[in-house]
Amino acid sequence: MAVRFPRARRLAILLTAMIVAAPMAFAQDQRATPPKQQKKLPEAPSKLPKVGSDRTRGLDFLFGALKAAPDEASAKHVEARIWALWMQTPSDTAALLMMRAKAAMDAQQTDVALKLLDAVVKLRPDYVEGWNRRATLYYLKNDYAHSLEDIEQVLVREPRHFGALAGLGMIMQDIGDERRALDAFRKALAVNPHLEKVPELVKTLTEKVEGRDI
């Protein structure tokens, strides 16, 4: 999927509207937010395969292979290679900061992790996974406004980022905007038909959002 400025502009406008609405909607229904441990976001596997350095051609090929994967095992293999390319950064400093941020998140040291990820996006604003990892951290902290801002940065740079699309869907579902949640989940599945639990979410939300008109 090619990145074109008008599409990126429309995405920015839509997500800006969501950012404005998210804090108010969340404040109204904070008790209804599902526990985060029950809603695991797509993330890079702990062990990533070695991949080449040609990101653009490599990703285009891999996304085609992901859609055509004949089974779950094949899809997971391709998905891991996509994550490996996304995780690549020419900056050794950014890579080290990302490693330390993950260790801090695993240790539930969220404030430490946030400072490290702030440093990553400041050092390498072109690095998609810096934004995505920080969006995930904000999501886990229930800071939906900041999470949406970072998701916007991810999707402007990589509209096929199924992890960010799934995260967007979860935020919209948490704040009660089921129509936008359904749209985000459908876009995630269009890119990666093998996402865990997302097909079930799409089915449930389709019945809720579109079933009323049948």
Side-chain angles (χ1 to χ4, degrees), residues 1-192:
M1 186 185 298
V3 180
R4 296 174 181 168
F5 180 75
R7 176 183 175 83
R9 182 63 178 166
R10 291 196 301 272
L11 175 64
I13 293 171
L14 175 61
L15 284 178
T16 299
M18 293 178 181
I19 290 165
V20 172
M24 183 180 300
F26 179 61
Q28 292 173 349
D29 195 24
Q30 187 170 3
R31 293 182 180 179
T33 303
K36 293 296 185 289
Q37 62 268 26
Q38 295 181 11
K39 300 186 71 177
K40 190 173 184 294
L41 292 170
E43 62 180 1
S46 56
K47 293 184 179 180
L48 294 171
K50 292 183 179 180
V51 290
S53 58
D54 189 343
R55 285 178 54 84
T56 302
R57 288 185 60 187
L59 283 171
D60 290 344
F61 173 80
L62 289 170
F63 275 114
L66 185 59
K67 288 184 179 181
D71 51 51
E72 292 299 318
S74 300
K76 287 298 179 186
H77 176 73
V78 176
E79 186 179 308
R81 296 181 68 83
I82 290 173
W83 280 111
L85 280 173
W86 279 341
M87 292 295 294
Q88 279 185 346
T89 171
S91 169
D92 292 340
T93 303
L96 179 60
L97 290 169
M98 287 289 284
M99 188 185 310
R100 289 180 175 174
K102 184 179 187 309
M105 289 174 70
D106 291 343
Q108 298 185 347
Q109 297 173 337
T110 55
D111 291 340
V112 173
L114 183 56
K115 289 180 180 179
L116 291 165
L117 293 172
D118 287 344
V120 172
V121 298
K122 185 176 181 179
L123 176 68
R124 298 293 306 206
D126 58 332
Y127 182 40
V128 172
E129 278 311 299
W131 296 103
N132 185 57
R133 186 67 59 84
R134 196 173 70 171
T136 298
L137 180 58
Y138 279 132
Y139 172 77
L140 295 172
K141 288 167 64 70
N142 292 332
D143 188 344
Y144 291 168
H146 282 108
S147 185
L148 286 169
E149 288 175 353
D150 283 359
I151 287 173
E152 176 184 351
Q153 296 295 328
V154 174
L155 295 178
V156 165
R157 291 166 172 80
E158 176 50 273
R160 301 170 296 188
H161 201 298
F162 48 81
L165 288 167
L168 175 59
M170 288 180 180
I171 291 175
M172 291 298 103
Q173 189 177 26
D174 283 356
I175 67 175
D177 193 336
E178 294 179 334
R179 187 171 296 277
R180 281 179 173 157
L182 177 59
D183 181 63
F185 286 138
R186 281 176 169 169
K187 287 178 179 177
L189 278 184
V191 176
N192 183 358

